[in-house]
Structure formats: structure tokens, C-alpha cells
Amino acid sequence: MDGADVPSKVDSAILDRVVIRFAGDSGDGMQLAGDRFTHESAVFGNDLATFPNYPAEIRAPAGTLAGVSSFQVQFSDHDIMTPGDTPNVLVAMNPAALKANVTDLEPGATIIVNIDSFDQRNLTKAGYESNPLEDGSLDSYPVFEVPMTSLTLEAAKETGAKAREAERSKNFFALGLVSWMYTRPIESTVEWNDKKFAKSPVVRDANLAALKAGWNFGETAELFGSQYEVRPAQLPAGEYRSISGNVALAYGIITAGVKTKLPIFFASYPITPASDVLHELSRHKEFGVRTMQAEDEIAAVGAALGAAFGGQLGITATSGPGLDLKSETLGLAMQLELPLLVIDIQRGGPSTGLPTKTEQADLLLAMYGRHGEAPVPIVAASTPGDCFWAAIEAIRIAVQHMTPVILLSDGYLANGSEPWPLPNVDSLDNMAVHFQTEPNHEGEYWPYLRDSHLVRPWAIPGTPGLEHRIGGLEKQDGTGNISYEPLNHERMVQVRAEKVALIAEDIDLLSVDDPDGAELLVLGWGSTYGAIGAATRQVRALGYSVARAHLRHMNPLPRNTGEVLRKYKHVLVPELNMGQLTTILRSKFLVDVQSFCKVQGLPFRTAEITAKILEFGHDGAADGARLTEVVAK
């Protein structure tokens, strides 16, 4: 770096963790800046967790609150479980970004603003009656005013970029400045920029000039009193990469295809926040992956089900509105008993709702959102990296039990990222599929002749001697012939339900982390994993006993679930909905489970769950002071 050898004029301090939020207009490149800073931190060896937060409107008016986009990352020298509750540093590229995010800051947090954008026009668009940099409203924060736009334009003059083109590189200036502040290595970003914009040399050179200008500004401006370092985390040995939930899902699907030795057919219709699964899978045709962007959600699931009938891994991904539309075909897949995987990346609803925000409100839809009696297995991922394992588990259940499976993720997991240890694929269990190739009943092929787990055989259409017909009309057990007999229909409904229930014998028991014989169990599912884990750590640090458990299999539930629930005096279930898992547990086990709900389009903060736990028989006022000390440490 130019200027990197200049003797530092600032103090150097060691920190154990930092939370940074980049915020600006949706066209300011905050997601890119945050993503590159995350990659730099991963290369450096920190543990990290991220929270990208996108505006819900497409092309909201520039400079307005509705158009603010942000990216939060926590990086540390120890194991962490969340992107952090509140930022230590806010980088605000305009007044709207400041106004939308300043209420999340604790007093003493650092604010870095692009002073060039704080003109009267932008202040008015953000709803400010006076300039917050001048009216005293920010007196509780150290505020650094940096002319990012003008310095970027000056740095990019020699690249040949026009002013409007050069201005777009101001996110790289912000990235360079914050990278200097926290001693991040930027060589990987330089290399990435060279490759990404190799065909646009003017853009490439402007980005690089802005990146260097930001770094050198921090080094030479004498504006900042300290430079900080967060040392590498002591993580288990292995090779790591930063991975998002949607990419992990794609890798899990590919791995399952390798382990089952089946071609993958993935069909979907673009929908936020699920589209990235299609994008990632389309890059890996060398693994036998075939992708199709369908004309609508119904066509996508129909094509995937057809692929399953043809002996392939039939998979589709969507979000809540798309799952609504796929419900009839899901019922057909359950009736046919074919291994179809439907991935639901949950988002705020109902209807269009909050398309870029997170929620866990599709659990009851997944459980009961089909006409008739049509239960299906449900698997839920808990972290971005866990999406890989959840995909493999969902496909294992689908092919081994001949059933459609719903895999639940959400926007928080899909877009968030964390360090992910690369697995040894060779060590994974073999999931090879055995197709029926010979008649199975007196020289005939009966498509619904079942084994001890009520699983029917899977025969590829066109196999000589195994010609068969399947369809949506009720069928006779064994033969598969159409049957309207009342008692047969009742039997078939019961058999299909029992087959799904028997999957409980093939999944792990619910594991409980209870080192102290606690009276309170905090039970979660899906993306609440990190916040619950961090909260129980804090409560235990205060000296209290609290147990925690997390569900992966939502249907059927692990066979010891009722036993676990009845063991505790109190059971608390935090959910990003109005209490859907609580409803299921109460009705199934008649246990007084207590619900803790949040439906704001945002994930739980650790402090929210910690405070709720402390309500159970603890002195909240006294604990509050002690908790502040624990969190500070």
C-alpha cells in the first residue's frame, strides 16, 4: 500500500471484538464494502458473523430512509454466535443512513460520516429539521467527519473515470479507511477487484485508487486517535472459508448428489431471498447439476416433481409466497410418495410483506398448509454454515423414506455469513440409492409394496417389466390401482401419516445443554440458535443455571421431545413469529410452554433473550448491572 511505510502517528490498541455497520443508500455499495471487510477478517483469522439488511423497496428514492441499506459484521478473537446487538462503529454515507441507524448505537459508539453528503437537500430528504452534526444531538458519540466523496473524486482523477463513475467508488474509500482503523489485510480485496473488474479497467482503477485513498487518509490525516487490532481467533484446526446460508445450501445439495450418485435437477422461480440458491447451483454443472428458471412457482415445483419421478434429485427453492403456490403439488408429491425437496427461505409476510427482511412465520404453513391429510417431514437449519448439513439431512430423509421434505431457512441465514470449516466429503455417510429393478410381487411390479418402515420402492420409468402408473387419485395399497373404497382411503391416509411418524426412529434424539440441573429450558429452532446460545452464555456468566436445546427436525419431532419438555419447570421458546412452535408443542405434549415472540423483520438481539430469561425468578434490576459488566468483558 502507498503510505503503508509511513510511521504511524496514532496509538495502537488491542480489542477482543468489534461490531461495525456500513450504512448508506442502496446504490452506495454498502453490501459490497461489508462483504469485502468480512472476507478480509476471515483471511486474517477472526471468528465472525454478519447481518446484511436490505431495503424492502426496489429502487426506493435515493437519500430517503426507505432506501437505506446496511451491512453489520462482528469479528473477534474468540468464538461468537451473532453479528452483535449494537455497532461499535457506524459508517454513515448520508443523512438517511445516520438517521435510520443511530438509534441502535450505545453512547460512546464511533460514528464516521461522509460529510460531503450532509447538504440541505439530503438532510431534508432524510427528515432532519436541523443538521445533526451541528445541533448537539450526537454529543454522546465520537463523530468523525470525512469528505469521502470529494477525496474519492480527487483520487480517481488519473484513472480516466468520469465524475459520476468515480463517485461510485466511495464505498471503497470507506472500506480502505475502516480497514486501516482495524488493521485488516487488504491484499485479497485488491486481488478480487482486479479479477472482478478486469473487463472494466476504469472501474477497477477507480476502486483501487479510492481504496488506497481511504487507507492513506486514516494513516496521515491525524483525525483518529487510535488504530485497533483484533487478533485471530483460536478456532479448531482445519481449512475455513466464509460462507453464506444460501451458498451453503447449494453446496449441501451438490454434496448430497455426489453421495446419492443421483443427478440433480433444480427448478425455481426468482424470489427474494431464495434466488441465490439457483444462481450458485447454476455454476456447478460439472457435478451433474441441471438448473431451470421456471416461468412461475407452480411450474418450478411441477418440473422438480417430474424429475423425482424420473429418478433424479428433484429440488425447488422459494420463499413464503412461493410455498403458498406450491402447496397442491406438495400434496401430490406426498400422495405419490416421491423424494421431492422444497426449500423455503422464510421472509416477512403475509403476501409481499417485507421481502428483504427475516421471519420464522412459515412453520405452520409447512406443517399444515395442504388440503387433506398430507404430513411431510420438515428440517430447519440453524446457522449459515449449518444450511449445508441441513440440506444433506433433508435429502437423506427424502430418498431413504420416499417422501417430499420441506427445508426451512430464512433471510437472516440466507444472507448472513460465518467461517465454515471445509468438511471431508469422503467421511460422510454413503446415501447411495437402490432403485427397484426386478418385479416384487409374483412376477409383477407393485409400486406401493412397503418395507418395515412403510417405504415404497423407487423404480425409474421405462425399466423393463416395471411399468407402472401413479397419480393424484387415491390408490390401493400395494398395487397402486385407483380405489374409491372408503376403508382403503382411510387406511392409506393412516399409512402415509405413520410412514412420516416412523422417521422419528431414524433421527437423533433432542440433545440438551444443561450442565447445572436448571429449572428453565430455552428451546429454539432455526435462526434463533445464535442469539439463544449467546444469551445463555451471558446468564450463566451471572451465576444462574439455564438449559438450552435446539430443534433441527420439526416434523416428526425427536422421539424424546415430550420427555425433555416435562423435565423442566419452565420452557421458553423464542420465535420470530406469533408463537407457532409453542402452539405445536402445547397441543402435542400438553406442556405449558411459554412463548417469546418478535415479528419486526429483524432477528433477536442477544440482550432481548437475556432479559427475558432473567424474568424467570431472578432479580432483574440487580442482574442488569451485573450483565452490563459481563457483556463488557
Side-chain angles (χ1 to χ4, degrees):
M1 288 301 303
D2 293 345
D5 297 328
V6 176
S8 179
K9 301 181 179 64
V10 299
D11 297 330
S12 180
I14 304 296
L15 302 175
D16 66 344
R17 61 184 176 88
V18 175
V19 180
I20 297 177
R21 183 181 296 176
F22 296 88
D25 195 76
S26 57
D28 283 340
M30 294 296 93
Q31 301 301 324
L32 176 57
D35 181 71
R36 294 314 310 167
F37 188 88
T38 298
H39 187 79
E40 291 171 1
S41 298
V43 170
F44 190 72
N46 298 124
D47 195 14
L48 57 90
T50 70
F51 176 38
N53 195 3
Y54 302 92
E57 296 182 37
I58 299 176
R59 298 190 180 278
T64 64
L65 296 180
V68 173
S69 175
S70 67
F71 188 107
Q72 181 165 308
V73 55
Q74 178 174 203
F75 57 105
S76 74
D77 65 2
H78 58 278
D79 173 47
I80 57 173
M81 304 185 75
T82 74
D85 282 2
T86 60
N88 305 115
V89 179
L90 171 65
V91 179
M93 302 299 286
N94 61 16
L98 176 64
K99 188 170 188 178
N101 292 279
V102 70
T103 55
D104 290 340
L105 303 181
E106 297 287 347
T110 297
I111 298 175
I112 302 173
V113 299
N114 177 17
I115 187 63
D116 290 334
S117 67
F118 278 71
D119 55 27
Q120 189 55 52
R121 182 169 178 267
N122 283 327
L123 290 167
T124 301
K125 286 165 63 173
Y128 278 117
E129 295 181 359
S130 61
N131 190 334
L133 303 179
E134 301 172 353
D135 63 12
S137 60
L138 301 178
D139 286 350
S140 58
Y141 311 102
V143 179
F144 298 96
E145 301 177 7
V146 182
M148 298 187 197
T149 302
S150 56
L151 289 175
T152 297
L153 293 175
E154 180 65 26
K157 274 185 177 179
E158 296 181 0
T159 67
K162 297 179 180 178
R164 189 167 183 177
E165 294 175 331
E167 184 181 349
R168 292 174 183 166
S169 297
K170 62 182 180 289
N171 60 329
F172 277 80
F173 183 98
L175 175 60
L177 174 58
V178 178
S179 297
W180 171 84
M181 287 181 65
Y182 292 97
T183 58
R184 302 291 87 187
I186 62 173
E187 289 77 14
S188 63
T189 294
V190 173
E191 181 180 352
W192 175 87
N193 181 63
D194 288 343
K195 292 180 179 178
K196 178 70 174 179
F197 299 104
K199 296 182 180 179
S200 303
V202 172
V203 175
R204 177 198 63 203
D205 294 345
N207 287 342
L208 180 59
L211 182 70
K212 289 183 176 182
W215 178 284
N216 291 331
F217 179 85
E219 184 72 33
T220 62
E222 300 185 30
L223 186 63
F224 301 91
S226 295
Q227 188 178 24
Y228 304 95
E229 180 182 355
V230 179
R231 290 173 175 167
Q234 298 300 312
L235 300 174
E239 185 177 358
Y240 288 78
R241 60 156 289 171
S242 178
I243 199 166
S244 68
N246 276 352
V247 172
L249 278 176
Y251 288 0
I253 290 168
I254 293 169
T255 302
V258 172
K259 302 305 289 187
T260 58
K261 296 181 171 59
L262 294 177
I264 298 166
F265 179 81
F266 184 93
S268 71
Y269 180 74
I271 185 171
T272 302
S275 299
D276 284 342
V277 183
L278 171 63
H279 300 160
E280 185 62 35
L281 284 172
S282 68
R283 301 185 178 103
H284 299 287
K285 295 180 175 61
E286 70 275 17
F287 290 103
V289 180
R290 296 295 177 267
T291 56
M292 182 182 84
Q293 180 176 312
E295 63 267 32
D296 56 44
E297 297 282 4
I298 298 172
V301 70
L305 181 58
F309 176 60
Q312 301 188 18
L313 285 181
I315 305 172
T316 186
T318 187
S319 189
L323 189 60
D324 294 340
L325 295 170
K326 296 180 190 294
S327 62
E328 182 180 3
T329 304
L330 257 169
L332 175 61
M334 192 271 180
Q335 167 90 307
L336 303 182
E337 301 180 54
L338 284 170
L340 170 72
L341 176 60
V342 177
I343 301 170
D344 176 19
I345 316 292
Q346 300 166 95
R347 71 188 204 188
S351 187
T352 306
L354 302 173
T356 61
K357 310 300 180 182
T358 196
E359 204 163 272
Q360 289 182 293
D362 294 353
L363 179 57
L364 293 183
L365 172 63
M367 284 286 293
Y368 307 117
R370 292 162 296 283
H371 67 280
E373 296 287 343
V376 300
I378 303 169
V379 174
S382 58
T383 70
D386 183 58
C387 288
F388 173 85
W389 301 104
I392 292 175
E393 174 65 357
I395 292 172
R396 181 193 70 83
I397 291 173
V399 298
Q400 292 183 0
H401 294 272
M402 288 294 288
T403 178
V405 177
I406 295 177
L407 172 56
L408 295 177
S409 177
D410 60 37
Y412 178 53
L413 298 181
N415 298 317
S417 59
E418 64 179 357
W420 181 61
L422 299 183
N424 180 359
V425 176
D426 293 336
S427 68
L428 301 180
D429 291 339
N430 182 21
M431 298 192 300
V433 172
H434 302 286
F435 290 105
Q436 187 75 28
T437 57
E438 302 291 338
N440 59 3
H441 186 271
E442 297 180 357
E444 297 180 352
Y445 171 61
W446 283 16
Y448 291 92
L449 194 65
R450 304 175 185 278
D451 64 14
S452 60
H453 279 75
L454 304 181
V455 178
R456 79 170 188 88
W458 193 6
I460 297 178
T463 303
L466 272 62
E467 294 82 2
H468 62 285
R469 179 181 63 186
I470 58 177
L473 292 174
E474 187 58 279
K475 51 193 61 64
Q476 185 181 55
D477 201 13
T479 67
N481 295 330
I482 294 172
S483 174
Y484 297 112
E485 291 293 326
L487 291 179
N488 177 77
H489 174 58
E490 185 171 68
R491 169 172 167 72
M492 290 300 293
V493 168
Q494 292 171 344
V495 165
R496 289 189 290 260
E498 186 180 356
K499 184 183 80 164
V500 173
L502 284 173
I503 295 172
E505 298 181 0
D506 189 33
I507 62 177
D508 292 335
L509 296 176
L510 179 60
S511 175
V512 183
D513 174 14
D514 183 1
D516 304 307
E519 292 187 346
L520 170 65
L521 170 69
V522 184
L523 178 65
W525 70 277
S527 63
T528 59
Y529 177 85
I532 291 174
T536 54
R537 283 181 181 177
Q538 290 185 355
V539 173
R540 289 172 182 174
L542 291 172
Y544 295 114
S545 296
V546 59
R548 70 182 179 105
H550 212 78
L551 288 165
R552 173 188 290 281
H553 299 93
M554 311 305 297
N555 190 46
L557 291 165
R559 55 190 183 277
N560 67 328
T561 303
E563 175 187 345
V564 168
L565 296 178
R566 295 185 184 99
K567 179 181 176 182
Y568 293 91
K569 181 178 180 180
H570 303 289
V571 179
L572 176 67
V573 179
E575 296 185 81
L576 298 176
N577 55 45
M578 293 297 287
Q580 296 188 16
L581 176 59
T582 301
T583 298
I584 293 170
L585 296 177
R586 285 176 173 173
S587 64
K588 187 173 181 65
F589 300 109
L590 302 180
V591 175
D592 185 21
V593 175
Q594 301 298 306
S595 188
F596 180 38
C597 302
K598 180 176 180 177
V599 194
Q600 301 173 12
L602 297 170
F604 276 110
R605 293 182 176 181
T606 300
E608 292 171 330
I609 298 179
T610 300
K612 189 67 178 179
I613 292 173
L614 293 175
E615 292 179 9
F616 287 81
H618 301 147
D619 182 354
D623 290 334
R626 292 176 61 199
L627 181 60
T628 300
E629 181 181 354
V630 169
V631 173
K633 292 181 179 179

